Amino acid sequence: SFSSSSLPAVPPVKYILGEASAADAAAGVASGKKDGEGSKGVCEIDYLVLIDRRVDLITPLCSQFTYEGLLDAVFNIHHTHIEVGPPILTPPQGTTNRKTKVPLTSSDPLFAEIRDLHIGVLGPLLHAKANQIQQTYREKDNLKNISEINEFMKKFKGVQAQHSSLATHVNLASHISNITKEEDYHKRLQLEDEITRSGASSEVLNALEDYTDKNLPIQELYRLLCLTSVVNNGIRSKHLDALKRGIIQSYGYVELGALLNLDAVGLLRSYQGRSTWEQIKKSFHLIVEEDEAQLDISYVCSGYAPLSVRLVQKLHSHPKGWRSCQEGLNLLWGPALEVRQQPSTQPGSPPTTVALPDYGTSLHSSDRNKDREKDKRPTVVVVFFLGGCTYSEVAALRKLSQLEGGARRYVIATTEMLSSSRLFSSLQNLLGKDIHPPSSSTATERETEGGAR
């Protein structure tokens, strides 16, 4: 999070993906400064990218494989901490709380190091850390003089704090690892993989119908159903009615409100016509082979690259930016815009918005970028998610910064941290409330303001 006083007057270039009116509403976060405020000492922001969540509904429905993403999925991160009870973690003696509150911030050096790691490589790293700590403890047996004892005590204090953190994360990682090794967990991952690769095939639909009778947690069932619906642009009425009937019979009429809400927001609906998922998948290279995923942002979802982050990557990876994938953008929800904001000459007046004639080229050719290269300063890009951001997208943007050699620093802002469980919980709690469905306008009906596409 950040305050408006720490932002520049106007980010020079603003990219908008989604409904322009909604994106412009959020642009006020970085669109003005106080009267008389100078620019010295202010952190410069070069670009602001606004992404409407409706552009990418796939990512929140996909399984996360980073350590922080799995902590959120299993324990539900709330205000940068989780609460964990026995037998995973035992509360300190003398406390009345039955659960241990575990902070998850970069103030813990160990967590800062492991938060974005794939769960598959986390175990060996934690084992190596434990060996390093044990090695430090063994050094006390070889101390020979006061000077060596003094040096050891300095090191010992740091290792002692690290030991406590390591013990906590070993227990948490062990619990997560046990969950991810369960046979049913692997079957659901295989089904998810089949959905993203093949859509609503007969095998997928049969598997989903079977799950309505297996006492699967309802939010996990909704996740798989909605993923199928979004990828396939809906589910044939015959199959959808059977699935809804199975849910009502197995979970009760209490889920009727949630089913109505899922239909109202367009997450679980009847077939709307031919899906564009195959073209989107190919246009943005969203599915990556597992042996290549570790060198790509797709490692966060074990082979699926979050569409939202791939769009950010496209801005920098090609001289023409989004113009290089114009056909792919036409398949997504809402218009894609690029505008330049210029400070107003009148104090207190809003900035002037100017369409960029050379759409998509400014990230590579602007004078500001050349100054950055000369001073060896990273380009600062604010990525603002309207409608929520997942921990997998946060990790993917950090990975993207690494892949770019630190040439760009991504600052992430969002209306909320999102997960599939939180999404479905909110919809389950909206029974009887008015929900407005998303616009069904086609690509040909979308506005193309300011040189869009």
Side-chain angles (χ1 to χ4, degrees):
S1 62
F2 45 80
S3 64
S4 59
S5 61
S6 66
L7 297 175
V10 181
V13 181
K14 178 172 67 174
Y15 297 91
I16 304 172
L17 193 56
E19 188 173 326
S21 59
D24 284 335
V29 173
S31 64
K33 65 180 177 182
K34 300 174 184 177
D35 292 344
E37 183 181 31
S39 60
K40 292 184 179 180
V42 178
C43 173
E44 283 193 1
I45 293 176
D46 298 277
Y47 304 100
L48 171 64
V49 182
L50 300 172
I51 299 178
D52 192 308
R53 182 74 270 171
R54 288 169 287 188
V55 172
D56 175 17
L57 290 173
I58 301 290
T59 299
L61 300 174
C62 287
S63 296
Q64 305 180 72
F65 286 87
T66 62
Y67 179 50
E68 187 171 26
L70 284 165
L71 284 174
D72 185 44
V74 176
F75 299 106
N76 190 17
I77 299 175
H78 183 66
H79 296 321
T80 69
H81 77 270
I82 55 176
E83 293 187 352
V84 186
I88 305 168
L89 294 179
T90 303
Q93 291 184 350
T95 62
T96 57
N97 295 329
R98 297 185 62 184
K99 292 187 176 182
T100 302
K101 184 178 288 189
V102 181
L104 300 173
T105 67
S106 294
S107 59
D108 178 356
L110 178 61
F111 181 68
E113 182 179 351
I114 65 177
R115 66 192 308 172
D116 296 328
L117 291 182
H118 190 282
I119 189 66
V121 302
L122 181 61
L125 185 141
L126 292 177
H127 182 71
K129 291 284 185 183
N131 286 339
Q132 291 174 9
I133 291 175
Q134 290 299 324
Q135 181 62 36
T136 301
Y137 287 156
R138 283 195 289 268
E139 289 179 11
K140 72 179 187 303
D141 298 329
N142 301 318
L143 301 177
K144 298 178 180 178
N145 52 52
I146 298 297
S147 177
E148 289 180 359
I149 294 174
N150 187 43
E151 288 298 317
F152 172 78
M153 291 307 298
K154 292 179 182 178
K155 187 187 298 185
F156 178 78
K157 290 179 181 179
V159 168
Q160 203 170 26
Q162 192 179 32
H163 192 174
S164 175
S165 176
L166 179 64
T168 296
H169 288 292
V170 164
N171 288 333
L172 293 175
S174 177
H175 179 71
I176 290 173
S177 179
N178 289 336
I179 292 175
T180 58
K181 289 177 181 178
E182 292 175 359
E183 182 180 357
D184 194 54
Y185 181 86
H186 280 278
K187 287 182 177 179
R188 294 201 301 273
L189 289 182
Q190 290 172 359
L191 178 58
E192 181 179 325
D193 186 61
E194 180 68 18
I195 293 170
T196 55
R197 292 180 184 273
S198 306
S201 64
S202 58
E203 291 81 4
V204 166
L205 294 171
N206 289 335
L208 290 173
E209 286 193 33
D210 289 342
Y211 271 124
T212 61
D213 297 325
K214 291 185 177 180
N215 293 322
L216 187 69
I218 188 61
Q219 292 179 354
E220 180 67 5
L221 180 56
Y222 283 152
R223 183 181 73 84
L224 294 170
L225 286 171
C226 291
L227 181 61
T228 304
S229 177
V230 173
V231 163
N232 201 58
N233 199 22
I235 299 174
R236 300 280 181 183
S237 296
K238 174 184 175 181
H239 297 290
L240 184 58
D241 290 343
L243 288 165
K244 289 181 176 179
R245 204 162 40 241
I247 289 174
I248 296 299
Q249 290 174 352
S250 298
Y251 298 89
Y253 283 99
V254 69
E255 295 302 327
L256 182 59
L259 291 171
L260 292 172
N261 289 337
L262 289 171
D263 178 74
V265 299
L267 282 173
L268 184 60
R269 57 183 179 174
S270 59
Y271 186 61
Q272 303 294 306
R274 184 179 176 183
S275 170
T276 57
W277 171 243
E278 282 299 319
Q279 297 98 299
I280 292 172
K281 192 167 58 175
K282 291 177 182 178
S283 295
F284 298 103
H285 190 42
L286 299 184
I287 304 298
V288 179
E289 294 301 324
E290 193 170 348
D291 57 344
E292 301 175 5
Q294 288 303 314
L295 300 177
D296 183 71
I297 62 171
S298 58
Y299 88 96
V300 299
C301 294
S302 274
Y304 164 74
L307 173 59
S308 56
V309 182
R310 192 67 99 196
L311 287 164
V312 175
Q313 187 177 22
K314 283 282 187 180
L315 283 173
H316 314 307
S317 62
H318 195 283
K320 290 187 177 181
W322 280 346
R323 273 209 181 279
S324 66
C325 55
Q326 183 174 346
E327 290 185 5
L329 287 175
N330 289 337
L331 301 172
L332 302 179
W333 189 92
L337 311 175
E338 178 183 352
V339 294
R340 181 180 295 278
Q341 295 185 115
Q342 297 176 348
S344 173
T345 56
Q346 301 296 325
S349 299
T352 304
T353 298
V354 182
L356 292 180
D358 295 324
Y359 170 78
T361 62
S362 57
L363 260 67
H364 301 269
S365 59
S366 68
D367 292 336
R368 178 182 289 264
N369 224 37
K370 292 176 182 177
D371 291 339
R372 289 282 189 188
E373 293 175 4
K374 185 184 298 183
D375 297 339
K376 296 183 178 180
R377 292 176 294 163
T379 300
V380 178
V381 182
V382 172
V383 182
F384 200 116
F385 291 87
L386 297 165
C389 171
T390 66
Y391 285 101
S392 62
E393 289 167 313
V394 173
L397 282 167
R398 291 195 186 113
K399 180 69 172 182
L400 181 56
S401 181
Q402 293 176 10
L403 293 173
E404 294 171 343
R408 294 173 188 85
R409 178 188 170 212
Y410 294 100
V411 179
I412 304 164
T414 181
T415 51
E416 63 181 308
M417 292 308 299
L418 187 66
S419 67
S420 60
S421 62
R422 277 191 285 272
L423 173 62
F424 296 130
S425 290
S426 67
L427 291 173
Q428 286 174 300
N429 294 331
L430 285 175
L431 182 60
K433 297 186 179 180
D434 186 26
I435 298 179
H436 298 284
S439 172
S440 58
S441 60
T442 62
T444 56
E445 297 171 329
R446 296 168 185 159
E447 298 178 27
T448 54
E449 304 171 32
R453 302 206 183 100

